Amino acid sequence: MRKPKLIVASARLPVTMSRRQDSWEAATSTGGLVTALKSVAERRPFTWLGWPGTPVPEAEHKRVRKVLAKHGSLPVFLTKSETEGFYEGFSNRVLWPLFHNLGDRTHFDPQGWRAYKAVNEKFAKAIEKAAEPGDFIWVHDYQLARVPELLRLRGVTCPIGFFLHIPFPSAETYRSLPVRGSILNGLLGADLLAFHSYEYISHFRNACLRVLGIESEPELIRLSSHSVRLAQLPIGIDPAEITEMARGAEAKNEYESVRASHPGKTLIIGVDRLDYTKGIPQKLLGFEELLRAHPKWRNRVVLIQIAAPSRTAVSEYQQLKRQVDELVGRINGRYGTSAGAPIVYVNQNVSRERLVGLFQASEIALITPVRDGMNLVALEYIAARGSNPGSLILSEFAGAAHCLPGARLVNPHSVMQVAEALNEALEKRPTEASFRHMREFVETNTAMTWSNSFLDQLEAAAVEPRPPVERLDVELPPISKLVSKATKPLFFLDYDGTLRSYVLKPDDATPGDRVRKMLTDLGARATVYIVSGRTASTLEQWLGDLPVGLVCEHGLAIKPPHGEWLRNKGVSGPTLKKIVQPLFEEFTQRTPGSTIEQKTAALAWHYRGADPEFGTFQAKELLALLEDSLRKKPFSVLRGARVIEVRYAENTKGHAARELLKTHSDADFLFVAGDDRTDEEMMDAIPKSWHSRAVTCWVGQRNAHAHYWVQSNMDLIGQLEQLARVFGEKKPSRTRSSKKRSSRRSSTTS
Ligand code: ADQ
């Protein structure tokens, strides 16, 4: 039997292709992710999918594919303009600064966003092609945020995991992203979403609430289509590999050479990509302040700053390079003597072995990002020191600050704080105990445990299999066959969220011309009911002139097409008035933006217009109070999309559906569409005897209660228009509307 594989997708492959005369050569990189995934490869076969780092002419694709296959990699080929818009553009000029809380550095350009969407689509297509049932998909980082949702839309049923390597910003910052909904929805396509820290999870949950109105639990977001697990999984390194390097000649040589160049001096090390998030200018200013405020350290300390060139074609990075050059020049000019300069600045990539030697030689590591997802350098420094404690001065804005309690945390924006932390570290050697705690974290939380924990959680997500729900297409054989045989079609259609998208004020959700025309056509050829939670008077006002039946307040009353309203008699108005109304009024007063909707047999409290967080908080309190006050009373409390509704327990769409199916028992085709929990009741109420002639459809996402799904209201309307056309050509007869009503109903008008 085939062992299910893991498909890893990242913007860049760990293999870079380059052309040498007539052949293609592959250079493999040995980044942290490669190390982390090595141990996963022992567990299950895996394929790495991504861009091979260079544009490849189409005629060469086959050859490059072949070379990459030998490295277990699958290419996603991108043109130059695609990488410009997707990678350098939207990813690195919008998401990168914004997610690092540097909103003023973002440059949104619609062209870049289009390229980002198109490239994410390309990745999703390539993953879909590579995935077989039972496989696992692990998508990496902000460049591919749309991929999880796109995979779902393509009908991929494998569990999808996503890891964000960078921070998730506060909801307040995130809100400014012009395409904020699209990125969030993209990520929410995953079954497992993991971040370095709880802080980022909490920011993400807040953004979902503020931007999409989606509420969540601390580690779970329940969507109608699936649940998204939220996990905190700080990445680690491979400490054994560093210990091994420390024993090697290259690290030893570097150690000796740097110590010999600075005899008797205390060394402070800084290793960063030359990126504006890494706080290199802040670090230099803090170091300058140390030398100014504590002259005793002049000539006694050296800061070795290694800065790896990064994104060198981007103007912000060129500017940063100039700024760092100038600062280094200024400080060295001011505090340098014939005995040497206080800063050694190396603007180069340095081998990992040499870095280990430098870490061993440096008593202090100074890491001051203004924002950093995790920061691997902090972990590498601790691992390289072995049993010889070193002082770690770390920005409180790095994810690693949450995991390394022995570090001296600083606010990098405060030059005084950085200088004082340096002064303290120079005066006081780190204690064994504080260093040991950090070492323990680095040794237990390795790159390997990180990737295995991720995979464990992703495999757990697979225990709940994704329902095999297909996208609705009325031309699909199972549906077209039913339609071709049908002579008496019956439709139950929910209104809000199904035929009409949600709006801030419920009264504004009037039907447009297209919906009215579709219902007119369909109603002329089939028996159609709009099954809604709305009041009879609203439904009458909006749809009363159309040839469709109406069901109001989740089944309180039913009006057959061209007929009269027939009401369910079980209405208990006094309890609603006495108990529920005062509670709702109190909460409306306390919650600005919330409103009460008065129905005949129900009361609804809408908080869509309230502050999302406060609204949710208030709703929780109100729910608890309602539960207490309505105990043993014939009412049910319904929690909908930012609405709490109290209604008579027997008024459910499930009851209404059963009633209607009895009335129209001669129907030979049933179509039900909905989008929220009350519609699940309607779908679940369809008796088994109807299953072979019923089509159920969910709007928005897949849902286990329905056979099919559509992405939007407009998609559904298009499909219903098509059905109206087909039935128009066939001229089916209407179902018999029972003259004998159930004894539970008595005739009334609304
Ligand atoms: P990066 O932003 O790349 O990663 P970081 O975690 O610090 O940041 O990793 C950088 C790596 O590059 C380290 O392994 C470091 O040793 C190496 N490096 C830095 N300067 C170098 C130089 N001059 N020469 C050679 N090597 C150098 C993103 C996020 C981080 C997150 C990681 C992993 O921005 O916050 O920790 O992913 O999830």
Side-chain angles (χ1 to χ4, degrees):
M1 212 177 88
R2 184 186 79 90
K3 196 170 178 190
K5 66 178 176 300
L6 172 68
I7 300 176
V8 172
S10 61
R12 282 288 304 268
L13 278 176
V15 185
T16 300
M17 298 300 295
S18 55
R19 182 132 204 189
R20 288 279 144 82
Q21 284 149 6
D22 197 32
S23 66
W24 284 92
E25 275 179 19
T28 51
S29 70
T30 52
L33 207 50
V34 179
T35 317
L37 292 172
K38 257 191 221 149
S39 62
V40 168
E42 287 162 18
R43 239 167 104 169
R44 49 177 74 253
F46 89 96
T47 304
W48 200 317
L49 198 137
W51 179 53
T54 185
V56 177
E58 213 171 323
E60 301 286 305
H61 283 186
K62 218 170 154 188
R63 280 174 76 194
V64 170
R65 227 175 250 288
K66 243 180 162 173
V67 180
L68 285 169
K70 288 190 200 132
H71 296 269
S73 298
L74 261 174
V76 177
F77 294 112
L78 301 180
T79 62
K80 192 161 177 289
S81 78
E82 276 174 335
T83 49
E84 273 166 15
F86 149 73
Y87 195 66
E88 286 139 37
F90 188 73
S91 297
N92 287 344
R93 302 195 76 197
V94 180
L95 292 183
W96 176 264
L98 189 83
F99 277 41
H100 284 88
N101 258 351
L102 299 166
D104 52 341
R105 285 187 183 261
T106 59
H107 302 276
F108 182 80
D109 152 33
Q111 172 58 30
W113 169 236
R114 277 194 290 276
Y116 183 90
K117 281 195 296 181
V119 170
N120 272 246
E121 198 59 80
K122 250 190 180 179
F123 268 80
K125 202 170 158 194
I127 297 172
E128 182 192 12
K129 205 167 156 210
E132 293 166 89
D135 286 350
F136 297 86
I137 300 168
W138 186 357
V139 183
H140 287 268
D141 230 359
Y142 63 104
Q143 301 93 344
L144 302 180
R146 294 260 332 122
V147 169
E149 185 192 16
L150 294 175
L151 287 171
R152 244 168 227 284
L153 293 178
R154 287 177 166 273
V156 173
T157 55
C158 309
I160 305 165
F162 184 96
F163 188 84
L164 186 70
H165 288 263
I166 64 174
F168 195 91
S170 71
E172 212 32 48
T173 301
Y174 183 79
R175 244 151 47 104
S176 64
L177 180 66
V179 292
R180 57 199 183 178
S182 190
I183 292 292
L184 282 184
N185 279 319
L187 293 170
L188 287 172
D191 297 285
L192 170 65
L193 259 180
F195 303 81
H196 288 298
S197 83
Y198 271 122
E199 187 192 353
Y200 308 153
I201 294 183
S202 127
H203 286 169
F204 178 76
R205 290 180 56 212
N206 227 326
C208 286
L209 179 61
R210 295 201 157 257
V211 175
L212 301 176
I214 293 178
E215 290 166 15
S216 54
E217 294 161 41
E219 294 183 334
L220 193 69
I221 301 185
R222 290 177 208 274
L223 302 173
S224 59
S225 52
H226 66 289
S227 294
V228 186
R229 296 222 151 263
L230 303 173
Q232 183 217 19
L233 279 175
I235 199 168
I237 57 166
D238 181 359
E241 189 193 21
I242 291 190
T243 310
E244 190 62 34
M245 283 180 194
R247 292 202 195 103
E250 205 178 337
K252 282 200 172 118
N253 289 344
E254 184 67 27
Y255 174 89
E256 270 152 25
S257 121
V258 74
R259 291 261 44 136
S261 311
H262 307 284
K265 291 191 180 170
T266 302
L267 303 184
I268 303 165
I269 183 80
V271 176
D272 308 271
R273 267 189 315 105
L274 190 50
D275 189 289
Y276 53 74
T277 61
K278 300 291 180 185
I280 299 173
Q282 286 79 353
K283 175 177 348 195
L284 296 173
L285 290 171
F287 181 64
E288 183 181 37
E289 177 62 14
L290 169 84
L291 299 179
R292 188 199 65 78
H294 301 280
K296 63 180 174 192
W297 297 118
R298 294 179 195 166
N299 274 322
R300 291 174 60 200
V301 293
V302 173
L303 169 64
I304 303 174
Q305 176 61 50
I306 313 286
S310 182
R311 304 175 193 170
T312 45
V314 181
S315 64
E316 270 94 348
Y317 288 75
Q318 293 163 357
Q319 225 174 323
L320 173 70
K321 185 177 175 305
R322 276 197 299 277
Q323 189 191 2
V324 170
D325 286 347
E326 277 168 26
L327 276 173
V328 171
R330 182 177 89 193
I331 300 166
N332 277 346
R334 196 169 288 169
Y335 297 105
T337 63
S338 54
I343 301 175
V344 174
Y345 175 54
V346 182
N347 183 205
Q348 275 170 26
N349 269 306
V350 171
S351 75
R352 303 187 62 220
E353 288 77 3
R354 282 182 57 202
L355 286 183
V356 169
L358 287 171
F359 289 144
Q360 288 184 308
S362 307
E363 287 86 351
I364 299 170
L366 183 56
I367 302 171
T368 54
V370 291
R371 200 76 185 149
D372 210 340
M374 180 69 184
N375 193 291
L376 298 179
V377 176
L379 310 182
E380 289 163 355
Y381 175 71
I382 293 162
R385 299 287 306 173
S387 53
N388 183 13
S391 291
L392 174 63
I393 301 175
L394 180 62
S395 160
E396 63 187 72
F397 300 113
H402 298 273
C403 314
L404 301 172
R408 274 173 218 274
L409 299 188
V410 289
N411 173 0
H413 301 285
S414 163
V415 287
M416 287 93 71
Q417 226 187 79
V418 174
E420 286 319 305
L422 276 170
N423 183 44
E424 278 171 32
L426 286 162
E427 280 183 344
K428 250 202 282 167
R429 303 275 304 129
T431 64
E432 286 282 346
S434 68
F435 193 73
R436 201 178 52 241
H437 280 131
M438 297 199 286
R439 258 196 86 79
E440 271 166 18
F441 173 79
V442 173
E443 274 164 13
T444 51
N445 186 79
T446 63
M448 289 67 82
T449 55
W450 171 77
S451 56
N452 276 300
S453 303
F454 188 94
L455 200 54
D456 287 344
Q457 298 206 28
L458 191 59
E459 285 175 353
V463 174
E464 294 170 47
R466 188 92 53 77
V469 180
E470 273 188 74
R471 201 161 179 158
L472 180 72
D473 176 354
V474 294
E475 285 174 7
L476 285 173
I479 306 179
S480 61
K481 226 156 111 193
L482 277 181
V483 170
S484 70
K485 283 197 281 180
T487 57
K488 288 179 178 141
L490 178 61
F491 286 76
F492 298 163
L493 308 173
D494 165 51
Y495 183 75
D496 291 278
T498 299
L499 293 178
R500 180 72 168 84
S501 56
Y502 288 107
V503 288
L504 201 58
K505 287 201 211 123
D507 288 350
D508 292 344
T510 49
D513 290 346
R514 186 169 167 195
V515 171
R516 288 178 52 85
K517 162 104 178 46
M518 179 276 289
L519 289 175
T520 307
D521 292 347
L522 194 64
R525 290 146 197 184
T527 306
V528 179
Y529 281 90
I530 304 299
V531 185
S532 168
R534 294 271 183 178
T535 60
S537 64
T538 304
L539 292 177
E540 272 295 350
Q541 193 189 334
W542 290 352
L543 305 162
D545 58 329
L546 304 181
V548 295
L550 303 172
V551 177
C552 69
E553 297 190 33
H554 304 106
L556 170 73
I558 296 179
K559 179 189 154 192
H562 314 287
E564 296 296 319
W565 282 102
L566 298 152
R567 199 168 83 177
N568 185 334
K569 59 186 174 198
V571 181
S572 179
T575 311
L576 276 177
K577 278 239 152 9
K578 261 208 326 256
I579 304 177
V580 183
Q581 178 112 11
L583 266 177
F584 275 17
E585 277 169 6
E586 186 195 326
F587 273 76
T588 308
Q589 242 172 31
R590 282 169 41 188
T591 319
S594 67
T595 51
I596 300 177
E597 188 187 356
Q598 192 94 42
K599 300 184 180 184
T600 316
L603 267 183
W605 183 67
H606 292 268
Y607 57 101
R608 188 171 286 277
D611 175 90
E613 228 169 311
F614 187 56
T616 304
F617 176 79
Q618 295 288 72
K620 275 190 192 142
E621 198 184 328
L622 178 57
L623 279 172
L625 287 172
L626 284 170
E627 201 177 299
D628 251 20
S629 334
L630 296 174
R631 195 160 288 150
K632 295 205 179 126
K633 299 215 160 48
F635 282 91
S636 59
V637 180
L638 190 83
R639 198 165 178 195
R642 308 205 64 75
V643 56
I644 291 175
E645 182 162 334
V646 180
R647 63 180 182 186
Y648 185 58
E650 289 215 358
N651 292 340
T652 68
K653 287 188 181 179
H655 275 84
R658 273 193 289 273
E659 190 86 4
L660 287 172
L661 288 175
K662 270 190 235 150
T663 310
H664 299 280
S665 57
D666 59 334
D668 50 9
F669 173 77
L670 173 65
F671 185 99
V672 184
D675 81 303
D676 74 12
R677 245 179 273 172
T678 62
D679 303 319
E680 287 175 359
E681 291 170 355
M682 174 158 70
M683 292 177 186
D684 291 349
I686 302 170
K688 269 212 172 85
S689 56
W690 281 82
H691 284 188
S692 59
R693 48 194 156 138
V695 171
T696 48
C697 177
W698 200 256
V699 179
Q701 294 267 14
R702 280 155 210 284
N703 181 302
H705 296 261
H707 305 126
Y708 298 94
W709 71 286
V710 285
Q711 204 179 341
S712 67
N713 318 114
M714 285 304 151
D715 285 350
L716 178 69
I717 291 162
Q719 295 287 322
L720 291 171
E721 285 168 345
Q722 203 166 329
L723 282 175
R725 265 195 302 280
V726 177
F727 286 129
E729 284 154 17
K730 287 161 50 89
K731 298 209 176 32
S733 60
R734 290 157 164 286
T735 73
R736 184 188 65 246
S737 190
S738 169
K739 301 218 166 60
K740 254 199 296 148
R741 292 274 149 202
S742 137
S743 60
R744 283 178 53 249
R745 290 179 182 278
S746 61
S747 175
T748 75
T749 43
S750 58

